[in-house]
Amino acid sequence: MSNNINFQELAEYFKSVQLNIVTALEELDGKKFLKDDWIKDSTQNLIGNGSTQILENGNIFERAGVGFSCVSGQSLPKSASLERQHLSDCKFNAMGVSLVLHPFNPYIPTIHFNIRFLVVNTPEKDIWWFGGGMDLTPYYGFEEDCIHFHQICKNALDPFGNHLYPLFKKQCDNYFYLKHRNEARGIGGIFYDNFDSLGFEKSLDVTKSVANSFLKAYLPIVEKRKSHSFNEQNREFQAFRRGRYVEFNLIFDRGTLFGLQSGGRTESILLSMPPKVQWGYNYQPQINTEEEKLYTDFLPAKDWLNKDGLNLDKDI
Amino acid sequence: MSNNINFQELAEYFKSVQLNIVTALEELDGKKFLKDDWIKDSTQNLIGNGSTQILENGNIFERAGVGFSCVSGQSLPKSASLERQHLSDCKFNAMGVSLVLHPFNPYIPTIHFNIRFLVVNTPEKDIWWFGGGMDLTPYYGFEEDCIHFHQICKNALDPFGNHLYPLFKKQCDNYFYLKHRNEARGIGGIFYDNFDSLGFEKSLDVTKSVANSFLKAYLPIVEKRKSHSFNEQNREFQAFRRGRYVEFNLIFDRGTLFGLQSGGRTESILLSMPPKVQWGYNYQPQINTEEEKLYTDFLPAKDWLNKDGLNLDKDI
């Protein structure tokens, strides 16, 4: 562990993020989360503890998982850092809060939020970094929701330099991309990893600012859309689009692969799985429908905060 | 291409396997498959053609996909052969027939069958091998079905040496295993890969024998179970167990990863996805139920053809 980093204190902060979010979501939904605290000792070289909090069949949320975990391992999986493959197999400590919320109403978007901190013990020194972000996955798009979401993301980062939002926004578009579908997972947000460039204190402040922004970014969208009427066909489209979410998380998501590869707790890692999902052959939305608009107007990466709405270059 | 191997003739044989199986399944179900023939030219260094045949919302099958493909690529993906990593990045030709049938009635098991042939062009020479097999994934277990299925598998292989069935059976148990769940996908069957040990003609004969056995192995089980009554709770259990099928195919299955990594046709590769799937936190079957019996009596690897029913060693 680095000399100046109080890992325990940091873990307490991460736990407080989980608590605040779960408390707010319980108030919103009206149903309580199940709290499943766990300790993992010495299986597959991984020890640690965590708290998996989950709400299923709520009033708003069909399945909502908010997980905290803090683990130490003997061998860092390759998936932990694509940019730092030389660190794989080193001892590591990792903590994170991760959530995916799957609302029942297809007009409320699914959301993902994560913050994480890693320390890797190399023979020479300890190397640490932060990661995190949030991204929105609507089934039915509303431009004002996308603008609101991205504006809150930008507001969270601007105090630390105007370069951060465009950088993290682009990283988000690149990361949450289904290569095999040539399709974005959702309308993006912000994503950062291997982040240490501002030094420990400021990098932590960035992470705190992102964490503080999550409820501001998401709750107003839920409030606006939760009374939107929907029918069976809307639910089917949601179930079908959730299939893309499953594909992304199981094929590409490094957090998921990191967890499964490092011998993590499967049910906690797979909190992100949607409750009800559907696959059908070669599904295409009908032309001139709300469903088609998702593909034409919302999924292609764009600068939501630029009034001209110009598409950004994607360098995937 | 190897001098003595007629790739075109082999492709015709593979197509005939697809045709025979689809014809029999159409007769069984009463509904016709959609036939989607495709040609892929030069995208991502992969060219080829195939026929994706799919039946959705049938009388027996909720989603049944039978695919044929024949492709040539500039660079063999690593997932193509774990045992022959030195061949990755070589030019290759591959053909295969692959099917996954998801019945509507939870008392009819899901089945997977595959035969494949690969030729890899190394600077020194062409290297070829066959692969294939079939495995059964029941939601509700019937011992007699498991015995029947394994007996047909054994009968298919015994003419080529008594060692093949135990070897391929064990390979199947090892391959179709969800490490992160510590759980088998189903009750096994046979699986072989990198198979060339009998020479081309005999190795092809093994593959033909396996292909000829598929309908004999599966149809009697469908006939026996298709009138079994079921309720919503049985369907829920099926949807939940199908989640395991998705997890296996997207996280572990080399055929799926090979297809997606080599730039294959996504909708054809993901034919294997179940139609309706469910995830729920920490699902445990109630004790003394049929659902629990699946976990205790059917999923643990065992020798179905040995009357003592002794568990086999698993060396995963």
Side-chain angles (χ1 to χ4, degrees), chain B residues 7 9-21 51 65-71 80 93-100 111-119 129-135 153 156-157 168 175-176 190-195 202-215 253 255 258:
Chain B
F7 204 70
E9 196 176 291
L10 200 55
E12 291 305 321
Y13 168 69
F14 272 61
K15 276 192 224 179
S16 75
V17 170
Q18 182 189 37
L19 179 65
N20 288 342
I21 290 174
S51 180
V66 187
F68 162 77
S69 70
C70 184
V71 296
N93 293 273
M95 69 176 77
V97 172
S98 196
L99 72 79
V100 174
I111 194 162
H112 164 245
F113 159 85
N114 170 253
I115 54 172
R116 59 195 177 276
F117 177 71
L118 275 95
V119 183
W129 68 88
F130 285 94
M134 53 182 128
D135 66 286
C153 288
L157 297 171
F168 291 2
Y175 182 79
F176 293 103
I190 49 175
F191 177 88
Y192 60 103
D193 198 12
N194 293 297
F195 186 66
K202 279 236 156 135
S203 299
L204 172 59
D205 285 345
V206 167
T207 294
K208 286 183 172 176
S209 185
V210 169
N212 284 335
S213 300
F214 167 72
L215 293 170
D253 186 56
F258 170 82

Side-chain angles (χ1 to χ4, degrees), chain A residues 140-194:
Chain A
Y140 293 94
F142 294 92
E143 194 182 12
E144 62 183 280
D145 294 354
C146 302
I147 293 170
H148 162 79
F149 185 74
H150 276 274
Q151 188 63 57
I152 299 292
C153 288
K154 184 173 188 297
N155 294 351
L157 297 172
D158 277 355
F160 306 95
N162 290 336
H163 64 295
L164 289 183
Y165 168 74
L167 177 66
F168 291 3
K169 191 262 185 220
K170 188 171 189 166
Q171 288 174 180
C172 189
D173 288 337
N174 290 348
Y175 182 79
F176 292 104
Y177 192 78
L178 288 82
K179 289 191 198 75
H180 65 297
R181 298 283 188 184
N182 201 18
E183 191 181 290
R185 182 168 87 167
I187 62 101
I190 49 175
F191 177 87
Y192 60 104
D193 199 12
N194 294 294

Side-chain angles (χ1 to χ4, degrees), chain B residues 12-277:
Chain B
E12 291 305 321
Y13 168 69
F14 272 61
K15 276 192 224 179
S16 75
V17 170
Q18 182 189 37
L19 179 65
N20 288 342
I21 290 174
V22 164
T23 304
L25 295 177
E26 285 179 339
E27 197 170 319
L28 174 70
D29 190 274
K31 187 171 170 180
K32 293 281 176 195
F33 278 66
L34 171 83
K35 276 104 180 167
D36 201 353
D37 295 341
W38 51 267
I39 292 176
K40 198 167 178 73
D41 44 12
S42 74
T43 333
Q44 295 181 22
N45 297 323
L46 195 81
I47 60 169
N49 63 83
S51 180
T52 295
Q53 310 203 0
I54 180 123
L55 187 160
E56 291 180 310
N57 301 311
N59 298 300
I60 301 278
F61 298 109
E62 194 172 357
R63 179 164 154 93
V66 187
F68 162 77
S69 70
C70 184
V71 296
S72 307
Q74 295 299 315
S75 169
L76 189 74
K78 286 200 192 326
S79 53
S81 176
L82 283 192
E83 290 78 12
R84 308 191 194 213
Q85 289 289 303
H86 58 289
L87 297 184
S88 65
D89 301 331
C90 289
K91 286 189 186 186
F92 70 97
N93 293 273
M95 69 176 77
V97 172
S98 196
L99 72 79
V100 174
L101 312 180
H102 292 287
F104 193 85
N105 187 325
Y107 285 88
I108 310 176
T110 284
I111 194 162
H112 164 245
F113 159 85
N114 170 253
I115 54 172
R116 59 195 177 276
F117 177 71
L118 275 95
V119 183
V120 179
N121 312 132
T122 75
E124 300 80 36
K125 58 173 180 173
D126 289 351
I127 293 174
W128 60 264
W129 68 88
F130 285 94
M134 53 182 128
D135 66 286
L136 197 71
T137 306
Y139 305 93
Y140 294 93
F142 295 91
E143 194 182 12
E144 62 183 280
D145 294 354
C146 302
I147 293 170
H148 162 79
F149 185 75
H150 276 273
Q151 188 63 56
I152 299 291
C153 288
K154 184 173 188 298
N155 294 350
L157 297 171
D158 276 356
F160 306 94
N162 290 335
H163 63 295
L164 289 183
Y165 168 75
L167 178 65
F168 291 2
K169 191 261 185 221
K170 188 171 190 166
Q171 288 175 179
C172 188
D173 289 338
N174 290 349
Y175 182 79
F176 293 103
Y177 192 78
L178 288 82
K179 291 191 196 75
H180 64 297
R181 298 283 188 185
N182 202 17
E183 193 181 290
R185 181 167 88 167
I187 63 100
I190 49 175
F191 177 88
Y192 60 103
D193 198 12
N194 293 297
F195 186 66
D196 59 7
S197 55
L198 300 180
F200 179 79
E201 286 302 333
K202 279 236 156 135
S203 299
L204 172 59
D205 285 345
V206 167
T207 294
K208 286 183 172 176
S209 185
V210 169
N212 284 335
S213 300
F214 167 72
L215 293 170
K216 281 181 261 183
Y218 188 54
L219 295 197
I221 296 173
V222 178
E223 289 294 346
K224 251 187 193 158
R225 307 301 160 202
K226 71 181 185 184
S227 305
H228 200 297
S229 66
F230 62 91
N231 58 29
E232 263 317 293
Q233 190 245 317
N234 302 134
R235 280 281 287 171
E236 276 222 344
F237 183 63
Q238 179 193 45
F240 161 75
R241 291 294 312 166
R242 283 170 171 176
R244 299 287 211 262
Y245 217 83
V246 172
E247 290 175 19
F248 179 83
N249 285 9
L250 296 186
I251 301 175
F252 296 109
D253 186 56
R254 274 160 42 200
T256 304
L257 299 178
F258 170 82
L260 297 176
Q261 285 174 7
S262 64
R265 191 171 177 271
T266 296
E267 284 293 331
S268 303
I269 297 160
L270 297 182
L271 275 189
S272 60
M273 293 293 105
K276 290 187 180 185
V277 188

Side-chain angles (χ1 to χ4, degrees), chain A residues 113-127:
Chain A
F113 159 85
N114 169 253
I115 54 173
R116 56 194 179 279
F117 178 71
L118 274 95
V119 183
V120 180
N121 313 132
T122 74
E124 299 79 38
K125 59 175 180 172
D126 289 352
I127 293 173

Side-chain angles (χ1 to χ4, degrees), chain B residues 258-304:
Chain B
F258 170 82
L260 297 176
Q261 285 174 7
S262 64
R265 191 171 177 271
T266 296
E267 284 293 331
S268 303
I269 297 160
L270 297 182
L271 275 189
S272 60
M273 293 293 105
K276 290 187 180 185
V277 188
Q278 208 164 323
W279 274 271
Y281 183 64
N282 227 357
Y283 174 86
Q284 305 288 347
Q286 304 284 308
I287 56 169
N288 293 326
T289 57
E290 283 185 294
E291 287 81 10
E292 190 195 38
K293 258 187 136 172
L294 179 73
Y295 292 83
T296 54
D297 296 7
F298 290 90
L299 295 183
K302 66 169 77 170
D303 182 356
W304 289 102

